[in-house]
Amino acid sequence: MKIIIINGPNLNLLGKREPEVYGKESFEDYFNTLKTKYSTIELSYYQSNVEGKLIDKIQEAGFSYDGIILNSAAYTHTSIAIGDVVKAISTPVIEVHISNTFSRETFRHQSYISPNAKGVIVGFGLKSYELALQSFLLN
Ligand code: DQA
Protein backbone atom coordinates (compact mmCIF):
# COMPACT_ATOMS: atom_id res chain seq x y z
CA MET A 1 0.00 0.00 0.00
CA LYS A 2 1.33 3.37 -1.10
CA ILE A 3 0.38 6.40 0.99
CA ILE A 4 1.73 9.93 0.95
CA ILE A 5 1.42 12.60 3.62
CA ILE A 6 1.32 16.09 2.12
CA ASN A 7 1.76 19.09 4.41
CA GLY A 8 1.15 22.70 3.49
CA PRO A 9 2.58 26.04 4.58
CA ASN A 10 4.36 26.54 7.89
CA LEU A 11 4.10 22.89 8.87
CA ASN A 12 7.85 22.65 8.29
CA LEU A 13 8.06 24.67 11.53
CA LEU A 14 6.33 22.06 13.68
CA GLY A 15 8.09 21.80 17.03
CA LYS A 16 9.01 25.49 16.93
CA ARG A 17 5.76 27.05 15.76
CA GLU A 18 3.17 27.86 18.48
CA PRO A 19 3.99 24.71 20.48
CA GLU A 20 0.96 25.28 22.72
CA VAL A 21 -1.24 24.70 19.63
CA TYR A 22 0.83 22.32 17.49
CA GLY A 23 3.04 20.52 20.02
CA LYS A 24 6.79 20.29 20.50
CA GLU A 25 7.68 17.52 18.10
CA SER A 26 9.08 18.15 14.64
CA PHE A 27 7.23 16.48 11.78
CA GLU A 28 10.40 14.68 10.66
CA ASP A 29 10.70 12.98 14.07
CA TYR A 30 7.02 12.08 14.09
CA PHE A 31 7.19 10.80 10.51
CA ASN A 32 10.15 8.53 11.35
CA THR A 33 8.19 7.03 14.24
CA LEU A 34 5.22 6.42 11.92
CA LYS A 35 7.41 4.83 9.27
CA THR A 36 8.91 2.44 11.82
CA LYS A 37 5.52 1.55 13.30
CA TYR A 38 3.88 0.99 9.90
CA SER A 39 6.86 -0.52 8.11
CA THR A 40 4.72 -2.62 5.75
CA ILE A 41 3.23 0.53 4.19
CA GLU A 42 5.13 2.43 1.54
CA LEU A 43 4.83 5.77 3.30
CA SER A 44 6.27 9.01 1.97
CA TYR A 45 6.15 12.65 2.99
CA TYR A 46 6.13 15.96 1.14
CA GLN A 47 5.91 19.50 2.46
CA SER A 48 5.75 22.82 0.65
CA ASN A 49 4.90 26.39 1.49
CA VAL A 50 3.89 26.99 -2.12
CA GLU A 51 0.31 26.40 -3.27
CA GLY A 52 1.21 25.37 -6.86
CA LYS A 53 3.81 22.87 -5.66
CA LEU A 54 1.22 21.23 -3.42
CA ILE A 55 -1.12 20.98 -6.41
CA ASP A 56 1.67 19.45 -8.55
CA LYS A 57 2.37 16.83 -5.88
CA ILE A 58 -1.32 15.98 -5.42
CA GLN A 59 -1.66 15.54 -9.22
CA GLU A 60 1.49 13.41 -9.31
CA ALA A 61 0.30 11.04 -6.58
CA GLY A 62 -3.39 11.31 -7.35
CA PHE A 63 -3.77 8.57 -9.94
CA SER A 64 -1.36 5.93 -8.66
CA TYR A 65 -1.21 6.09 -4.84
CA ASP A 66 -3.67 4.27 -2.58
CA GLY A 67 -4.18 7.27 -0.35
CA ILE A 68 -3.23 10.86 0.33
CA ILE A 69 -3.22 12.29 3.85
CA LEU A 70 -3.48 16.04 3.31
CA ASN A 71 -2.96 18.88 5.76
CA SER A 72 -3.07 21.89 3.48
CA ALA A 73 -2.76 24.14 6.57
CA ALA A 74 -3.95 27.72 5.94
CA TYR A 75 -4.65 26.93 2.25
CA THR A 76 -7.48 24.71 3.52
CA HIS A 77 -9.45 27.86 4.24
CA THR A 78 -8.57 29.80 1.09
CA SER A 79 -7.62 27.57 -1.84
CA ILE A 80 -10.27 26.75 -4.41
CA ALA A 81 -7.41 25.35 -6.54
CA ILE A 82 -6.46 22.73 -3.93
CA GLY A 83 -10.15 21.91 -3.48
CA ASP A 84 -10.40 21.41 -7.25
CA VAL A 85 -7.39 19.09 -7.48
CA VAL A 86 -8.72 16.93 -4.66
CA LYS A 87 -11.91 16.60 -6.71
CA ALA A 88 -9.98 15.91 -9.94
CA ILE A 89 -7.88 12.94 -8.80
CA SER A 90 -8.94 9.34 -8.23
CA THR A 91 -6.82 8.62 -5.11
CA PRO A 92 -8.86 9.09 -1.93
CA VAL A 93 -7.79 12.03 0.24
CA ILE A 94 -8.16 12.26 4.00
CA GLU A 95 -8.00 15.82 5.26
CA VAL A 96 -6.25 16.18 8.59
CA HIS A 97 -5.62 19.00 11.03
CA ILE A 98 -3.48 18.92 14.12
CA SER A 99 -5.54 21.47 16.02
CA ASN A 100 -9.32 21.50 16.37
CA THR A 101 -9.98 24.14 13.74
CA PHE A 102 -13.61 24.39 14.88
CA SER A 103 -12.63 25.59 18.34
CA ARG A 104 -10.48 28.36 16.82
CA GLU A 105 -11.14 31.52 14.78
CA THR A 106 -14.20 31.37 12.50
CA PHE A 107 -12.07 31.70 9.34
CA ARG A 108 -10.65 28.25 10.19
CA HIS A 109 -14.14 26.69 10.15
CA GLN A 110 -14.31 26.90 6.34
CA SER A 111 -12.59 24.18 4.29
CA TYR A 112 -12.35 23.95 0.51
CA ILE A 113 -10.99 20.40 0.91
CA SER A 114 -13.69 18.72 3.03
CA PRO A 115 -16.44 18.49 0.35
CA ASN A 116 -14.19 16.29 -1.79
CA ALA A 117 -12.28 14.44 0.93
CA LYS A 118 -13.05 10.85 1.82
CA GLY A 119 -13.04 11.94 5.45
CA VAL A 120 -11.75 14.56 7.84
CA ILE A 121 -9.75 14.07 11.05
CA VAL A 122 -9.35 17.16 13.17
CA GLY A 123 -7.88 18.05 16.55
CA PHE A 124 -5.94 14.99 17.72
CA GLY A 125 -2.52 16.60 17.54
CA LEU A 126 0.00 14.72 15.41
CA LYS A 127 -2.06 11.57 16.10
CA SER A 128 -4.50 12.90 13.48
CA TYR A 129 -2.07 11.61 10.83
CA GLU A 130 -1.88 8.13 12.38
CA LEU A 131 -5.68 7.93 12.63
CA ALA A 132 -5.89 8.82 8.92
CA LEU A 133 -3.34 6.12 8.11
CA GLN A 134 -5.29 3.55 10.12
CA SER A 135 -8.47 4.44 8.28
CA PHE A 136 -6.79 3.43 5.00
CA LEU A 137 -5.79 0.12 6.59
CA LEU A 138 -9.39 -0.64 7.56
CA ASN A 139 -10.48 -0.79 3.93
C1 DQA B 1 -3.78 23.48 10.67
C2 DQA B 1 -4.93 24.44 11.00
C3 DQA B 1 -4.91 25.63 10.05
O1 DQA B 1 -5.97 26.52 10.37
C4 DQA B 1 -3.60 26.39 10.18
O2 DQA B 1 -3.56 27.44 9.25
C5 DQA B 1 -2.41 25.49 10.06
C6 DQA B 1 -2.44 24.18 10.67
C7 DQA B 1 -3.70 22.32 11.69
O3 DQA B 1 -3.11 21.31 11.36
O4 DQA B 1 -4.20 22.45 12.81
O5 DQA B 1 -1.38 25.92 9.54
O6 DQA B 1 -4.02 22.91 9.39
Side-chain angles (χ1 to χ4, degrees):
M1 180 175 275
K2 228 172 147 183
I3 307 273
I4 185 166
I5 296 174
I6 300 179
N7 272 346
N10 302 308
L11 293 173
N12 54 315
L13 296 180
L14 286 178
K16 294 182 205 147
R17 172 195 186 197
E18 299 177 82
E20 66 289 354
V21 179
Y22 299 112
K24 290 186 184 140
E25 194 173 0
S26 74
F27 197 80
E28 286 69 19
D29 285 351
Y30 177 71
F31 180 69
N32 285 334
T33 314
L34 264 191
K35 263 195 91 94
T36 309
K37 189 164 171 186
Y38 296 90
S39 57
T40 56
I41 298 176
E42 226 182 293
L43 188 61
S44 54
Y45 164 57
Y46 177 80
Q47 189 278 330
S48 178
N49 295 321
V50 180
E51 186 177 18
K53 288 190 176 175
L54 293 166
I55 293 166
D56 285 345
K57 185 50 82 174
I58 293 166
Q59 286 187 7
E60 196 185 303
F63 296 91
S64 54
Y65 280 61
D66 300 299
I68 295 176
I69 298 171
L70 176 65
N71 184 349
S72 45
Y75 286 139
T76 307
H77 319 301
T78 61
S79 178
I80 294 170
I82 297 180
D84 277 354
V85 74
V86 169
K87 191 169 187 181
I89 60 173
S90 53
T91 296
V93 172
I94 301 204
E95 175 185 350
V96 305
H97 297 286
I98 298 164
S99 63
N100 180 355
T101 46
F102 297 101
S103 67
R104 301 179 66 193
E105 303 94 321
T106 46
F107 66 82
R108 293 185 205 278
H109 300 180
Q110 155 90 348
S111 168
Y112 285 101
I113 314 305
S114 303
N116 299 308
K118 184 177 182 202
V120 184
I121 298 173
V122 174
F124 292 92
L126 287 174
K127 271 238 147 57
S128 294
Y129 293 90
E130 184 173 1
L131 291 170
L133 193 60
Q134 285 177 351
S135 81
F136 282 119
L137 295 175
L138 292 173
N139 294 327

